[in-house]
């Protein structure tokens, strides 16, 4: 298959970004026509930045969490008239999804995927459950940044010059300072070196690692007393299985009902073991199929490693000790 030309590549990027936005508008028109401030956007960030200058965006820490990009977006919302503040946070957050969709488009060009496959994938991403909350709120741009950083981890940078690489470094710095989600991926860039060495990805990994140190200092300086983290293997892995594998297949309602049944009188280890085993076969099937379809070894393994590692780390940090 002939690689896309530069013009067709630009057209593809424009089409995929536009398609992503169009699907968002189709699925959640009221959220774009009548935006609102979401959760912490109004109660914490907007309220805290109303009487402060722009420089405060570099120091505002909410509940031990430093999100530079969220601070910037919310600060711009405070400059606008109050009745338009939600428009600022919603549409600037939506603008960031263009970077995400554009990075996927760039990946599809490098992998020589068909426009149909790329369009279907972008549409699926825009229709993910709770996507409206992820894509259209300044509070959650940290998650969008982290997925974008993951796409950067699997891009091929060998043909890029210094000028073309610079925007990715800047984006990595901003993403790394926007919550801890992106810095979690620093080890993934090191894992990539095992399969396809790249100085570009080493630098991105170093940037994220440096940002991770900043977040560690912030968290230690703003720790919540009495917070105990769980190291229970079941707690770390079962949410990963249910949320990442079973929910997309069977839907949240069925999974929620299943959890209630399993939490009846003690844990039903037989059914839990069956769920684990079935999940293992599903993951193995998807990884092997991806290796065959993509004719690539490292890409499926990197994505698999990122999924398991980041999911477990999120559970570790969000649930704490369920018995405490």
């Amino acid at each position: 298959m002939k690689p896309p030309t530069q013009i067709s590549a630009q057209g593809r990027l424009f089409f995929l970004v536009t398609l992503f936005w169009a699907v968002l508008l189709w699925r959640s028109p009221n959220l774009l026509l009548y935006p609102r401030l979401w959760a912490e956007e109004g109660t914490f960030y907007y309220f805290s930045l109303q009487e402060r200058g722009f420089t405060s965006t570099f120091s505002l820490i909410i509940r031990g969490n430093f999100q530079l990009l969220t601070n910037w977006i919310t600060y711009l919302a405070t400059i606008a008239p109050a009745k338009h503040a939600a428009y600022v946070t919603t549409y600037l957050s939506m603008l960031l999804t263009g970077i995400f969709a554009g990075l996927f488009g760039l990946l599809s060009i490098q992998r020589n995927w068909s426009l149909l496959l790329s369009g279907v994938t972008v549409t699926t991403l825009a229709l993910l459950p709770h996507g409206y909350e992820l894509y259209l709120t300044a509070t959650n741009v940290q998650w969008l940044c982290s997925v974008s950083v993951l796409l950067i981890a699997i891009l091929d940078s060998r043909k890029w010059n210094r000028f073309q690489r610079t925007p990715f470094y800047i984006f990595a710095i901003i993403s790394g300072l926007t919550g801890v989600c992106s810095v979690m991926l620093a080890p993934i860039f090191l894992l990539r070196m095992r399969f396809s060495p790249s100085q570009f990805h080493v630098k991105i990994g170093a940037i994220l690692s440096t940002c991770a140190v900043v977040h560690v200092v912030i968290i230690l300086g703003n720790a919540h007393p009495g917070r105990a983290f769980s190291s229970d293997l079941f707690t770390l892995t079962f949410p990963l299985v249910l949320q990442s594998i079973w929910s997309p297949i069977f839907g949240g309602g069925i999974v929620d009902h299943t959890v209630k049944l399993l939490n009846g009188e003690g844990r039903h280890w037989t059914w839990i073991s069956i769920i684990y085993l079935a999940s293992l076969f599903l993951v193995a099937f998807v990884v092997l199929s991806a290796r065959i379809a993509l004719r690539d070894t490292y890409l499926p393994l990197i994505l698999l490693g990122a999924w398991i590692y980041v999911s477990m780390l999120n559970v570790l940090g969000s649930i704490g000790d369920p018995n405490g």
Side-chain angles (χ1 to χ4, degrees), residues 62-81:
I62 301 294
R63 293 188 172 182
N65 189 19
F66 176 62
Q67 295 199 56
L68 181 61
L69 199 51
T70 300
N71 291 348
W72 284 351
I73 293 174
T74 314
Y75 172 75
L76 292 176
T78 65
I79 298 177

Side-chain angles (χ1 to χ4, degrees), residues 230-280:
S230 174
S231 57
D232 176 21
L233 187 60
F234 174 79
T235 303
L236 293 178
T237 58
F238 202 59
L240 178 154
V241 169
L242 293 179
Q243 296 171 8
S244 301
I245 300 177
W246 293 98
S247 289
I249 297 175
F250 300 106
I254 293 179
V255 171
D256 183 59
H257 182 66
T258 302
V259 171
K260 291 179 180 178
L261 291 176
L262 294 176
N263 283 335
E265 296 180 1
R267 289 176 179 171
H268 299 263
W269 290 111
T270 300
W271 286 107
I272 290 174
S273 299
I274 292 174
I275 292 175
Y276 271 120
L277 188 61
S279 302
L280 181 62

Side-chain angles (χ1 to χ4, degrees), residues 35-74:
R36 74 287 309 270
L37 295 176
W38 287 76
E40 294 91 343
E41 277 181 350
T43 55
F44 292 114
Y45 289 95
Y46 185 80
F47 178 78
S48 300
L49 290 168
Q50 270 186 314
E51 304 298 331
R52 303 186 185 186
F54 175 72
T55 54
S56 65
T57 61
F58 294 93
S59 59
L60 178 63
I61 299 170
I62 301 294
R63 293 188 172 182
N65 189 19
F66 176 62
Q67 295 199 56
L68 181 61
L69 199 51
T70 300
N71 291 348
W72 284 351
I73 293 174
T74 314

Side-chain angles (χ1 to χ4, degrees), residues 209-229:
S209 298
T210 303
C211 293
V213 174
V214 174
H215 284 293
V216 168
V217 173
I218 290 173
I219 292 172
L220 292 178
N222 297 270
H224 289 274
R227 182 66 180 268
F229 296 101

Side-chain angles (χ1 to χ4, degrees), residues 22 48 88 291 299 307:
S48 300
V88 176
R291 291 187 64 178
L299 177 57
W307 165 59

Side-chain angles (χ1 to χ4, degrees), residues 183-222:
V183 301
M184 292 181 186
L185 294 171
I188 302 302
F189 285 84
L190 300 179
L191 176 64
R192 189 191 192 284
M193 292 298 299
R194 172 66 179 80
F195 301 99
S196 180
S198 164
Q199 189 178 48
F200 166 77
H201 289 94
V202 170
K203 291 180 179 179
I204 296 290
I207 289 172
L208 295 177
S209 298
T210 303
C211 293
V213 174
V214 174
H215 284 293
V216 168
V217 173
I218 290 173
I219 292 172
L220 292 178
N222 297 270

Side-chain angles (χ1 to χ4, degrees), residues 91 104 113 132 159 177 209 222 253 281 286 289 297:
Y91 281 95
F104 174 80
W113 294 339
Y132 57 88
K159 295 182 180 180
L177 293 175
S209 298
N222 297 270
F281 278 111
V286 170
S289 299
T297 299

